[in-house]
Amino acid sequence: MSADGALSPPPGVAADWTIPQGWDAYTPEEHRTWVTLYERQAKILPGRACDAFLNGLKALDLHGEGIPDMRRLSEKLGKLTGWQVVAVPGLVPDAVFFDHLANRRFPAGRFIRKPDQLDYLEEPDVFHDVFGHVPMLTDPVFADYMQAYGQGGLRALNLGRLHNLARLYWYTVEFGLMETAEGLRIYGAGIVSSRTESIFALEDPSPNRLGFDMARVMRTEYRIDDFQQTYFVIPSLRHLLTVTVETDFGPLYEYLAGAPDLAVDAVLPGDRVLTRGAQTYAQARA
Ligand code: HBI
Ligand code: FE
């Protein structure tokens, strides 16, 4: 820990925690892992992922040939919404993460999971980050939301309300669902990059599906080790951006300081309940 308390980067890692992706160093087996993961998702996401995601996949030429080169990806993405993708060794300190987002740089893990880890890994790898998160950044509204999130993150850090803002990220950017004329669709990266959760989040009667509300989300705990027990549903990406930009976080953080946290499976009288989950999956796993 350096003098100012911020974590200093490990040797060989820049002050902003970025590293060269070293695209040439990926092995054929690593590229094959990407192809396997990509092809599994490409089969099940039409009709499940939102249009912004599917359009983003196409616009970026993200396909099944292998791990994308982030420099070429950033050229395409930059022309669309000004975002770039930068390689990092793994999770980076919160302040570093927020600063990247506030400057339209998405930090993506360089490594890819091993063939025996296809279904779950705890750290975000290049498939979770580049396949899961990056296509949404081609949507101008979501691109603005992610930058606003980064700017809000730096403020929340200073106010000691990071854990509330982390929940907003979790229940939108990672595990968000949206309502469309054709039904519920996925926009969260944690779902869209997971074969099993892509099905579970939309179709299983086990989890709650509740209408998005900023304060409600910021009070709600989340799971990092298994499928979510509650998913929050937005009416549109525009709604998410508008609510975030229009929220006066000062008074909201004061309210949150006095409001008790809510359990992962809570359903409150004031909730807009789309699905009151049976929680059978979570009980079977308990
Ligand atoms: N670092 N590389 C990386 N990716 C993340 O998603 C990430 C991170 N650091 C912090 C973090 N996420 C969360 O703490 C914030 O979303 C709150
Ligand atoms: Fe993520």
Side-chain angles (χ1 to χ4, degrees):
M1 295 288 268
S2 61
D4 65 1
L7 272 171
S8 45
V13 176
D16 63 1
W17 284 69
T18 57
I19 53 171
Q21 181 185 12
W23 185 82
D24 301 318
Y26 287 121
T27 65
E29 182 195 64
E30 288 177 311
H31 284 297
R32 251 196 317 280
T33 298
W34 172 280
V35 171
T36 304
L37 291 166
Y38 183 94
E39 287 178 351
R40 290 193 331 183
Q41 293 313 95
K43 273 201 198 81
I44 61 172
L45 289 178
R48 289 192 173 93
C50 67
D51 289 345
F53 180 86
L54 297 172
N55 296 339
L57 276 187
K58 272 197 217 75
L60 296 174
D61 281 334
L62 274 185
H63 35 63
E65 275 155 35
I67 299 170
D69 182 330
M70 293 180 195
R71 286 166 308 184
R72 297 199 20 237
L73 197 52
S74 295
E75 273 163 35
K76 290 191 184 102
L77 184 60
K79 288 195 188 96
L80 294 170
T81 56
W83 275 83
Q84 292 174 52
V85 184
V86 291
V88 290
L91 289 176
V92 303
D94 294 328
V96 172
F97 182 65
F98 293 130
D99 182 66
H100 279 304
L101 298 187
N103 290 286
R104 297 206 172 214
R105 291 187 302 267
F106 188 80
R110 183 214 165 279
F111 78 101
I112 192 159
R113 64 195 76 176
K114 294 283 169 271
D116 65 352
Q117 291 176 306
L118 289 191
D119 272 321
Y120 189 76
L121 77 164
E122 57 289 334
E123 283 243 355
D125 72 340
V126 68
F127 187 77
H128 169 91
D129 280 327
V130 172
F131 180 88
H133 282 283
V134 172
M136 286 301 295
L137 292 172
T138 63
D139 178 282
V141 174
F142 192 78
D144 287 357
Y145 171 67
M146 283 291 273
Q147 180 174 31
Y149 180 87
Q151 291 158 344
L154 294 168
R155 180 155 176 239
L157 261 180
N158 298 331
L159 295 172
R161 304 305 313 176
L162 178 73
H163 64 290
N164 295 118
L165 206 83
R167 290 167 177 168
L168 174 63
Y169 189 86
W170 196 266
Y171 281 117
T172 57
V173 182
E174 293 296 358
F175 292 97
L177 298 177
M178 77 166 73
E179 289 172 288
T180 75
E182 296 79 35
L184 293 187
R185 291 292 182 268
I186 302 162
Y187 73 96
I191 308 176
V192 86
S193 59
S194 156
R195 174 174 63 167
T196 47
E197 197 153 5
S198 295
I199 313 271
F200 178 85
L202 289 178
E203 299 165 27
D204 200 293
S206 183
N208 299 322
R209 294 178 186 89
L210 306 177
F212 175 89
D213 170 86
M214 183 66 81
R216 176 67 165 84
V217 164
M218 287 188 147
R219 291 178 59 191
T220 307
E221 292 169 355
Y222 56 81
R223 300 200 60 154
I224 58 169
D225 60 341
D226 207 338
F227 293 164
Q228 298 310 306
Q229 295 185 242
T230 295
Y231 295 96
F232 286 94
V233 185
I234 57 174
S236 67
L237 294 174
R238 172 61 67 190
H239 175 83
L240 180 59
L241 175 63
T242 304
V243 162
T244 302
V245 169
E246 286 178 355
T247 294
D248 184 349
F249 282 92
L252 175 57
Y253 287 144
E254 276 161 37
Y255 159 76
L256 289 169
D261 286 343
L262 297 167
V264 288
D265 60 353
V267 179
L268 302 186
D271 287 339
R272 186 162 81 84
V273 179
L274 289 86
T275 307
R276 181 181 294 276
Q279 301 299 350
T280 36
Y281 172 86
Q283 282 152 14
R285 304 274 293 202

